[in-house]
Amino acid sequence: MTEKQSGPAPDNHWLVRPSTIRILWILFIAMLAATVVAQLFVEPHASFGIDGWLGFAAIFGFSSCALMVVVAKLLGYILKRPEGHYDD
């Protein structure tokens, strides 16, 4: 007797589809561009010298996101268990 998985197949999940990934990248780039354009119209009140630069928010946002991905990957390698770890 086999158990059926509930929900969509893993290869058909909406976050795995190439069309969805493309849309998410376009939205991400549009948000970064919007922060640069908004900075043209709003005068930044910089607390430090670097945060007053044009495009700082976009650069900071992108680098923060990239750093989170790298840290998550490293944590995955560190915390990974062997394949038969939970078998008796």
Side-chain angles (χ1 to χ4, degrees):
M1 191 153 106
T2 61
E3 294 181 22
K4 289 185 177 181
Q5 282 185 336
S6 61
D11 59 342
N12 196 23
H13 193 270
W14 71 276
L15 283 175
V16 182
R17 293 182 204 139
S19 60
T20 306
I21 294 172
R22 179 172 170 79
I23 290 170
L24 288 173
W25 271 106
I26 290 170
L27 288 173
F28 180 63
I29 291 170
M31 287 180 9
L32 292 177
T35 60
V36 174
V37 171
Q39 195 173 3
L40 293 173
F41 300 105
V42 177
E43 180 182 345
H45 299 285
S47 299
F48 306 100
I50 193 170
D51 59 342
W53 292 359
L54 178 67
F56 173 78
I59 294 168
F60 184 76
F62 178 77
S63 59
S64 298
C65 181
L67 182 65
M68 284 190 293
V69 169
V70 170
V71 168
K73 272 292 207 200
L74 289 174
L75 276 175
Y77 288 126
I78 292 169
L79 299 176
K80 186 188 300 186
R81 299 283 182 229
E83 191 169 324
H85 179 73
Y86 294 107
D87 294 340
D88 287 330

